[in-house]
């Protein structure tokens, strides 16, 4: 902070301290008005719209901002960092509307809600209850801050919202890749498919690391099967045979996305910044979220392809032409009035609708740059929109996975149950502990929500991801 004051005393023009913001950087602001300038910045950016970020996302945003500011180049006092830590330690989550950021200059509008709470303005969530920011701070023994020159802009002018949301999306994507391999193994069991299509010799000659790993995961979870007879289909359909090639793309994208996100989370991503050796004030564009946007775009496409894969496997299960002897729509055929039941027919339709929505959202957000703010922000990243779309695609795909998992358990039960020695028997048992076999038609929306929540919360006994 003293380096900033030295620059001010030298009479330097410092963006956002002795000048206005954005295109108004040509306006000279007397230093006596700098405090009002800082407070006005967070107030006039209080124009966010849409749903509020949930508590986990908000905490990820705060952690991300801390990582940037703690590197010391942003001219904020230690008390600012300490108060941000206090928000985390006392469970204070600023109410942050998710819409309103173009991803450069960083996440100005959503981050303004964090700065407002530090100042004792705005609203927060504490233990699930909405409270005024001042009351939340007082209840935690924290004092509201009067933000000094540069501090409001340093809090707001960074990539922390998109980075926080995308980082959570990365973790969900990583878990989903591993889950989808197990679901594929269950589909092979239920459809009496060919384990030989996952032989490592096949993937050794096309050695994409993620693709090869996925084939190994699937094969490891399949129980030994007798040789296929001459009357069986020689090759499984693509949604089984090419599952490693689909899931493997996501598995191979994960390390690249992780690299982008880890660099961003550990970077100084605001403007201006100070050289800590010389005290020079450096003006640039580190608030641009291009790498976060690209990480989210890659994950969006990979995850949506998982939804499509699982939806196609589900269609095989429900169609007697492709299910290798399973009853139509997985209806139990030996109950009275079986012909009046339709089993998983509507579930397959719902999965298809969810998949279509997920695929539609894969349109890259980052190519829809808009010139904003009097053509000062004339090229922007749209990284926050990309991260939000990733989250939505994950929500949809997890619901598709939940429906598919319910159908797989139904199909395996119709085959006589899982093989006791099979690794997938634990997953089947965990589902059955929550959801009974469908012996007759009933609403299954509650079932979907329960299994989707278990997938999201990682409370089902799937193998843990060991990659990415």
């Amino acid at each position: 902070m003293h380096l900033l004051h030295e620059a001010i005393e030298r009479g330097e023009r410092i963006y956002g301290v002795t000048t206005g913001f954005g295109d108004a950087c040509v306006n000279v602001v007397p230093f006596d008005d700098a405090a009002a300038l800082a407070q006005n910045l967070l107030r006039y950016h209080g124009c966010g719209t849409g749903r509020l970020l949930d508590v986990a996302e908000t905490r990820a945003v705060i952690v991300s901002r801390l990582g940037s500011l703690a590197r010391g180049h942003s001219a904020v006092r230690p008390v600012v960092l300490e108060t941000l830590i206090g928000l985390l330690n006392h469970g204070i989550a600023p109410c942050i509307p998710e819409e309103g950021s173009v991803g450069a200059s960083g996440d100005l509008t959503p981050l303004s809600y964090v700065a407002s709470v530090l100042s004792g303005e705005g609203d927060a969530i504490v233990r699930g209850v909405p409270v005024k920011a001042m009351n939340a701070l007082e209840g935690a023994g924290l004092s509201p801050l009067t933000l000094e020159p540069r501090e409001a802009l340093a809090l707001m002018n960074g990539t922390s919202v998109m980075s926080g949301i995308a980082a959570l999306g990365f973790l969900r994507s990583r878990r989903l890749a591993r889950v989808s391999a197990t679901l594929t193994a269950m589909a092979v069991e239920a459809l009496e498919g060919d384990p030989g299509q996952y032989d490592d010799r096949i993937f050794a000659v096309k050695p994409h690391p993620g693709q090869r790993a996925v084939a190994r995961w699937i094969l490891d979870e399949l129980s030994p099967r007798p040789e296929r007879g001459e009357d069986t289909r020689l090759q499984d359909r693509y949604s089984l045979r090419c599952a490693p090639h689909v899931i493997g793309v996501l598995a191979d994208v994960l390390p690249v996305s992780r690299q982008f996100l880890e660099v961003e989370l550990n970077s100084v991503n605001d403007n201006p910044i100070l050289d800590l050796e010389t005290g020079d004030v450096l003006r640039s564009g580190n608030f641009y979220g291009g790498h976060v946007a690209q990480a989210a775009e890659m994950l969006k496409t990979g995850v949506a392809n998982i939804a499509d894969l699982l939806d196609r496997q589900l269609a095989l299960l429900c169609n007697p032409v492709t299910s290798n002897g399973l009853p139509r729509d997985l209806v139990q055929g030996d109950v009275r009035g079986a012909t009046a039941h339709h089993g998983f027919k509507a579930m397959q339709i719902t999965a298809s609708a969810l998949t279509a929505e997920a695929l539609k959202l894969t349109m890259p957000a980052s190519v829809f740059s808009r010139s904003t703010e009097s053509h000062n922000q004339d090229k922007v990243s749209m990284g926050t929109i990309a991260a939000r779309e990733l989250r939505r695609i994950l929500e949809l795909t997890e619901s598709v996975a939940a429906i598919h998992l319910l159908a797989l358990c139904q199909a395996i039960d119709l085959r006589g149950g899982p093989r006791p020695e099979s690794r997938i028997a634990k997953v089947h048992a965990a589902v059955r502990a929550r959801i009974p076999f469908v012996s007759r038609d009933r609403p299954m929306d509650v079932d979907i929500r329960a299994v989707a929540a278990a997938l999201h919360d990682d409370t089902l006994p799937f193998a843990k991801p060991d990659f990415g």
Side-chain angles (χ1 to χ4, degrees):
M1 194 72 186
H2 72 280
L3 293 176
L4 177 65
H5 283 288
E6 288 176 1
I8 294 169
E9 290 170 2
R10 290 195 301 268
E12 289 188 29
R13 283 195 309 156
I14 301 173
Y15 172 73
V17 177
T18 61
T19 75
F21 300 109
D23 192 58
C25 65
V26 296
N27 296 342
V28 176
V29 178
F31 184 66
D32 291 344
D33 292 336
L37 180 74
Q39 202 66 25
N40 288 339
L41 177 69
L42 61 92
R43 286 172 177 161
Y44 81 78
H45 275 96
C47 53
T49 63
R51 69 176 279 275
L52 299 179
L53 298 185
D54 65 31
V55 171
E57 291 169 332
T58 301
R59 291 174 65 82
V61 168
I62 295 172
V63 170
S64 176
R65 200 75 215 113
L66 268 167
S68 179
L69 299 180
R71 299 183 71 83
H73 294 269
S74 303
V76 302
R77 294 167 293 162
V79 70
V80 175
L81 307 181
E82 292 163 0
T83 307
L84 286 170
I85 293 170
L87 298 185
L88 294 171
N89 289 342
H90 293 281
I92 300 171
C95 293
I96 306 175
E98 70 173 4
E99 298 168 355
S101 175
V102 294
S105 295
D107 291 310
L108 288 168
T109 289
L111 284 173
S112 74
Y113 289 84
V114 177
S116 291
V117 167
L118 294 184
S119 300
E121 300 183 6
D123 300 296
I125 302 294
V126 181
R127 291 183 290 277
V129 179
V131 296
K132 291 296 180 184
M134 185 63 78
N135 295 335
L137 294 175
E138 289 176 353
L142 301 172
S143 300
L145 301 179
T146 299
L147 296 174
E148 294 193 2
R150 255 301 283 150
E151 289 181 338
L153 185 60
L155 283 162
M156 295 165 52
N157 191 13
T159 59
S160 299
V161 174
M162 67 180 87
S163 297
I165 296 172
L168 293 176
F170 167 85
L171 294 174
R172 288 171 75 177
S173 302
R174 186 170 179 259
R175 184 164 62 242
L176 184 65
R178 189 64 185 85
V179 165
S180 61
T182 299
L183 296 183
T184 296
M186 295 178 76
V188 174
E189 290 278 329
L191 293 164
E192 298 183 340
D194 178 17
Q197 60 206 354
Y198 309 116
D199 190 312
D200 186 61
R201 291 172 294 179
I202 298 168
F203 300 91
V205 295
K206 190 181 181 183
H208 294 295
Q211 175 180 284
R212 194 173 187 181
V214 171
R216 183 179 69 251
W217 299 337
I218 296 171
L219 192 59
D220 285 349
E221 297 195 358
L222 289 172
S223 54
R225 299 189 63 83
E227 290 293 323
R228 290 156 67 93
E230 291 293 326
D231 58 340
T232 59
R233 184 182 174 91
L234 181 62
Q235 296 187 132
D236 286 340
R237 291 172 173 84
Y238 284 14
S239 61
L240 296 185
R241 188 168 17 126
C242 298
H245 307 77
V246 177
I247 304 168
V249 174
L250 176 58
D252 281 322
V253 159
L254 283 164
V256 181
S257 300
R258 179 173 186 160
Q259 178 187 354
F260 284 6
L261 293 172
E262 285 186 346
V263 170
E264 196 74 30
L265 288 165
N266 291 283
S267 71
V268 179
N269 49 69
D270 60 323
N271 172 62
I273 58 176
L274 274 75
D275 184 303
L276 299 182
E277 293 185 2
T278 66
D280 291 342
V281 179
L282 308 174
R283 296 172 294 278
S284 186
N286 279 5
F287 47 68
Y288 195 87
H291 281 80
V292 179
Q294 187 59 35
E297 306 286 25
M298 290 189 291
L299 293 173
K300 280 168 52 180
T301 302
V303 170
N305 267 294
I306 299 297
D308 197 33
L309 178 76
L310 301 183
D311 175 58
R312 295 300 83 209
Q313 292 177 1
L314 175 60
L316 297 182
L317 290 172
C318 292
N319 187 342
V321 175
T322 58
S323 67
N324 198 17
L326 289 169
R328 183 184 301 275
D329 296 315
L330 307 178
V331 174
Q332 186 178 15
D334 57 356
V335 297
R336 185 174 180 180
T339 56
H341 294 280
H342 291 80
F344 280 72
K345 180 185 287 291
M347 291 278 271
Q348 196 269 319
I349 295 171
T350 294
S352 186
L354 298 173
T355 299
E357 185 174 346
L359 296 172
K360 182 177 182 294
L361 289 171
T362 58
M363 177 74 73
S366 55
V367 300
F368 285 91
S369 175
R370 308 281 295 170
S371 182
T372 65
E373 203 259 305
S374 301
H375 295 299
N376 176 56
Q377 299 177 11
D378 58 349
K379 173 61 177 163
V380 293
S381 75
M382 295 299 183
T384 315
I385 294 175
R388 286 169 40 219
E389 288 177 337
L390 170 60
R391 180 190 63 208
R392 178 58 180 154
I393 290 171
L394 281 161
E395 291 169 351
L396 293 161
T397 304
E398 286 169 354
S399 291
V400 173
I403 292 171
H404 191 33
L405 179 53
L406 288 165
L408 287 166
C409 290
Q410 181 84 359
I412 288 170
D413 284 335
L414 290 168
R415 294 284 193 199
R419 298 165 184 256
E421 74 278 12
S422 171
R423 296 186 185 186
I424 64 178
K426 291 182 179 179
V427 175
H428 175 274
V431 173
R432 282 289 168 256
R434 295 165 168 83
I435 310 296
F437 178 80
V438 181
S439 59
R440 57 190 63 251
D441 284 352
R442 57 178 171 79
M444 287 188 270
D445 50 354
V446 175
D447 302 352
I448 298 170
R449 286 196 294 272
V451 175
L455 288 171
H456 179 270
D457 297 339
D458 197 21
T459 57
L460 292 173
F462 287 99
K464 303 303 179 186
D466 58 357
F467 65 101

